[in-house]
Structure formats: structure tokens, C-alpha cells
Amino acid sequence: MAAQLWQRCRPLAQQACCQGVRFAASPAAQCSASLARCFEPAAALRGLQGSSSSSAARVCRRSVTSEASSGAYVCSACGSSAPAFSFLCRSCGKLMEASYGTASHYDLLGLDTSFEVEAEAVDSAYKELQRSLHPDRHAQASEEQRLLAETHSARLNEAVAVLRSPLLRARYWMELHGARILEEDQRIEDTATMMEVMETSEEMEDAETRSQIDEISERNSAKIRVVESELAGIFSKEDWAGARRLVERLQMLTRLQQRLDDWQPS
């Protein structure tokens, strides 16, 4: 049985960017450990972001630059203050300093702090803010204001990237509540989903047309939606151990979805 499992997991291990894993001479002895490493959290999150130079930790972190000593955000142009951060001063319309303080991704986009967030709401808020930060809008401004626009745009893009992705949003939500998830020293324990992913990988290998892949992709997307819905319920109970199991499953399904999206006929 162990030998058969090893034959199935070895190709997937190579596809999962685990070249650093030294495969065991005895499949019965080390197959499970090697398979677990194939789905290690850090590797999957690096893959999720493609060729971006930013790590998942950077994408999910919150800015921690200092706020004004009064606890308010003060506009350097007109001196007015506000209790919450905004990219533009609400009094004079100038760009605020890049001191984000404890503002979360939700705060930056003006969204309610909830794990469940509609993609349309994220996109709508993003488009409105991006228009305000677009370089053309600040072409005649001072160099300081132009640099601020670039800095704010980068910060806005970070927030949107996290909130658009169910996986990154789940990780971020847990981080906001002080729960460790998908870190370097953690290993995935959901062997059932591992086997499920391997079986789907075999279907992909047998597929010959885009329509066959699309059918597999739709099934996998449905599973992702189910996990996202389950996470919303478990987050409301603050069951972080249960949430970790679901995030592990979401991670593997998301990784699989990337491969399905990138599929090309041989």
C-alpha cells in the first residue's frame, strides 16, 4: 500500500516545487513525510503570488509606521486631523502622509471588517481610490506628493490582493486575531485533501481537451466556495484550530486551481 501511494505522490511532489526534498529509498518509511512537505505552507503561498517579488508575509502584513502622538492622523498640508486614516485629506484633498498606523486592509478600502466580503465591493472601492491616486492626477504636484501617490498605490494594491483572494484573506483574518497559520515551521496534516488533490492531478494528466479541464476546474472551484463558506462560520466562533484545518484545505485547492488555470494541451 505504501509503495503504491509513493508511486502516486512522487510526480505531484515534483510538480509542487519540492525539489529540495530528498526522497527516501524506502517508500514505506518516508512517503507520508515527503508528501506533507510537498504541500508546505510557504511554498504554496509563494506559488500563489507567481513571479511577484513580495512574499506572502509581506502581502499579508499590516503597516506599522507611527501615528501622530495625539492618536489622530494629521494632514501636513493644512494641519487638519482625523481619527482614521484616509489616503486623501478630507479637508483640503491633499495626499496624507504614508503613516498607516493600525489601519487594516479593510480600513484602507473603507469596507466593514468581516471575513465575508464581496469581490464586487473590493473592486468598486479599489477603482475609486485608484482614480484618486493615479499618477496623471498628480502630474503637476510636488515631487513629495507624486512619491506619496506611488507609495499609497502600492499599499492599496497590497490590501486588494489580500482581500480578493479567499486564501490570503483567510490567513490575514487569522493574523488579525493573533492566530498562527501557514508558517515555515508548520506542516499540513490534511492527508485526505492531499489524496483528493492527487486524484484530481491524475485526471488532469489524462485530460486531452480544454473542455475536460474546464469541467475539472468547475468542480474544484465549487469546493473552494464551500470551504470559504465554512470558514466564515468557524471564524465567527473563533475556532482557530478548526479554521487552520480548513485553511490548509483551501491552500491545496487553490494551488490546484492555479495548475488548472495554467493547463495547456501537450
Side-chain angles (χ1 to χ4, degrees), residues 252-265:
M252 287 185 278
L253 294 176
T254 300
R255 186 73 166 156
L256 177 61
Q257 190 63 45
Q258 284 185 312
R259 293 172 51 210
L260 286 162
D261 293 342
D262 295 339
W263 181 89
Q264 295 292 334

Side-chain angles (χ1 to χ4, degrees), residues 43-77:
L45 282 173
R46 283 194 294 270
L48 179 63
Q49 296 183 73
S51 59
S52 171
S53 60
S54 299
S55 67
R58 180 176 180 276
V59 169
C60 291
R61 66 168 172 79
R62 289 179 293 170
S63 295
V64 292
T65 50
S66 62
E67 301 175 9
S69 58
S70 64
Y73 296 87
V74 180
C75 175
S76 60

Side-chain angles (χ1 to χ4, degrees), residues 12-133:
L12 187 59
Q14 294 168 339
Q15 293 171 4
C17 300
C18 293
Q19 292 89 342
V21 178
R22 184 173 183 178
F23 297 118
S26 170
Q30 294 192 19
C31 176
S32 296
S34 297
L35 181 58
R37 290 194 58 185
C38 293
F39 292 92
E40 65 177 345
L45 282 173
R46 283 194 294 270
L48 179 63
Q49 296 183 73
S51 59
S52 171
S53 60
S54 299
S55 67
R58 180 176 180 276
V59 169
C60 291
R61 66 168 172 79
R62 289 179 293 170
S63 295
V64 292
T65 50
S66 62
E67 301 175 9
S69 58
S70 64
Y73 296 87
V74 180
C75 175
S76 60
C78 71
S80 64
S81 63
F85 177 81
S86 60
F87 289 110
L88 286 87
C89 175
R90 293 183 174 87
S91 296
C92 69
K94 295 289 186 180
L95 292 170
M96 297 287 284
E97 295 292 336
S99 298
Y100 306 111
T102 58
S104 70
H105 295 328
Y106 298 94
D107 296 333
L108 294 177
L109 287 161
L111 301 173
D112 292 337
T113 304
S114 171
F115 173 71
E116 292 183 281
V117 59
E118 294 293 334
E120 293 80 4
V122 175
D123 290 341
S124 177
Y126 171 72
K127 289 175 182 177
E128 182 177 350
L129 288 168
Q130 193 58 35
R131 281 195 296 269
S132 300
L133 300 173

Side-chain angles (χ1 to χ4, degrees), residues 170-239:
R171 171 178 174 152
Y172 181 65
W173 187 261
M174 294 187 72
E175 288 183 349
L176 286 177
H177 291 82
R180 295 176 67 244
I181 185 68
L182 304 181
E183 295 185 357
E184 293 284 353
D185 63 340
Q186 294 176 323
R187 290 291 181 267
I188 290 178
E189 301 173 354
D190 186 355
T191 55
T193 299
M194 289 181 187
M195 294 299 297
E196 186 178 337
V197 169
M198 286 192 293
E199 290 172 358
T200 305
S201 296
E202 291 178 353
E203 287 188 69
M204 290 177 61
E205 292 175 2
D206 295 337
E208 298 179 350
T209 65
R210 182 72 242 182
S211 62
Q212 291 175 312
I213 291 295
D214 288 343
E215 182 179 342
I216 299 171
S217 178
E218 179 53 39
R219 294 202 310 267
N220 192 67
S221 295
K223 293 175 184 178
I224 290 175
R225 291 192 293 270
V226 168
V227 175
E228 188 176 1
S229 176
E230 291 174 344
L231 273 171
I234 209 164
F235 280 152
S236 68
K237 301 174 184 177
E238 297 191 353
D239 177 5

